[in-house]
Amino acid sequence: EIVMTQSPDTLSVSPGERATLSCRASQSLGSNLAWYQQKPGQAPRLLMYAASIRATGLPARFSGSGSGTQFTLTIDSLQSEDFAVYYCQYYSDWPPEVTFGGGTKVEIK
Amino acid sequence: QVQLQESGPGLVKPSETLSLTCKVSDVSLHTNSFYWGWIRQPPGKRLEWVVSMYYSGSTYYNPALKSRVTMSVDTAKFQFSLTLTSVTAEDTGVYFCVRGERGQQVISVFEHWGQGSLVLVSS
């Protein structure tokens, strides 16, 4: 079973600054990694897939990188609407399995 | 724009069966281009994939829940359903119905989500 670990648990950032979120896997994932944003009381929103491909309509200030066991989501020039919880998600080639990380909360500093 | 809406009882007694339905708008379920499914989120915990299914009937389960989960699709009613048997307090949480688009992997990401349905397992 692949275990996904996100760090830090909470990230305090001032508006306009950069946020860097990490996701580590217990085994190599290749590039089968997605990122989601979840705001209180809302469903998650897909941000990124295949580690670095932005979902339709996602602003360019969001970028993803990494492969294997270490992945990063970077948010440049944080906007007020970016303060939320972010989850990484692994998806396997075969058999189909999906695993989420524990989340990183990005809060206003 | 695809819309998904969950419905079902908010309270289920331990050992009983949890049943939820997801109504789909503005899209047909009669296609293997998409997979449908359920993801849950216990209070204060991480998201947990439960099950995903194609119209053809191919169904993929979280191994930890497989023995208790059934998913079905009703194309005529534009809805799909989840049943989870023998529930315990550990099954309490928000249940989201979701849709993903078939790509290189059979199941990958989830582009569309319902707003979520809170289910409490308690006597």
Side-chain angles (χ1 to χ4, degrees):
Chain A
E1 178 188 352
I2 291 180
V3 177
M4 306 296 293
T5 303
Q6 291 187 243
S7 60
D9 291 335
T10 303
L11 187 60
S12 298
V13 185
S14 298
E17 293 187 341
R18 170 182 290 181
T20 302
L21 290 68
S22 294
C23 177
R24 188 179 75 251
S26 59
Q27 301 175 39
S28 178
L29 310 183
S31 296
N32 293 0
L33 194 283
W35 290 93
Y36 296 80
Q37 175 194 70
Q38 186 178 31
K39 297 180 180 178
Q42 296 185 18
R45 168 196 176 194
L46 176 66
L47 301 178
M48 206 81 63
Y49 60 96
S52 62
I53 299 177
R54 278 190 291 272
T56 303
L58 188 68
R61 66 179 182 272
F62 289 86
S63 62
S65 63
S67 65
T69 62
Q70 193 69 45
F71 299 85
T72 300
L73 176 69
T74 302
I75 313 170
D76 287 321
S77 188
L78 268 164
Q79 306 295 300
S80 57
E81 62 265 30
D82 300 334
F83 293 97
V85 179
Y86 292 82
Y87 293 94
C88 61
Q89 177 224 318
Y90 158 64
Y91 47 96
S92 63
D93 288 323
W94 188 264
E97 282 191 29
V98 168
T99 304
F100 290 89
T104 290
K105 180 180 181 180
V106 178
E107 65 175 24
I108 301 175
K109 186 174 182 180
Chain B
Q1 175 70 1
V2 177
Q3 294 186 53
L4 300 90
Q5 178 66 59
E6 304 88 350
S7 62
L11 179 64
V12 181
K13 289 182 169 55
S15 79
E16 295 190 346
T17 296
L18 178 162
S19 296
L20 293 170
T21 297
C22 182
K23 188 79 172 179
V24 179
S25 302
D26 297 328
V27 68
S28 172
L29 289 159
H30 198 279
T31 172
N32 275 327
S33 296
F34 305 110
Y35 47 89
W36 310 89
W38 297 88
I39 290 171
R40 69 181 186 177
Q41 187 169 35
K45 294 187 178 181
R46 70 181 65 192
L47 296 158
E48 182 179 33
W49 172 63
V50 177
V51 61
S52 293
M53 183 178 186
Y54 280 88
Y55 159 73
S56 63
S58 297
T59 308
Y60 307 95
Y61 303 89
N62 180 329
L65 299 170
K66 183 177 181 179
S67 63
R68 298 192 292 129
V69 169
T70 302
M71 181 174 169
S72 61
V73 173
D74 188 333
T75 57
K77 293 184 177 179
F78 291 87
Q79 66 185 34
F80 57 95
S81 300
L82 169 73
T83 61
L84 179 65
T85 61
S86 304
V87 297
T88 70
E90 299 284 300
D91 297 308
T92 291
V94 177
Y95 285 73
F96 297 97
C97 59
V98 294
R99 191 195 86 169
E101 186 170 356
R102 188 175 197 129
Q104 288 188 332
Q105 290 78 24
V106 174
I107 303 295
S108 59
V109 300
F110 308 96
E111 295 98 342
H112 297 280
W113 297 63
Q115 65 183 28
S117 178
L118 177 61
V119 178
L120 174 64
V121 178
S122 175
S123 55

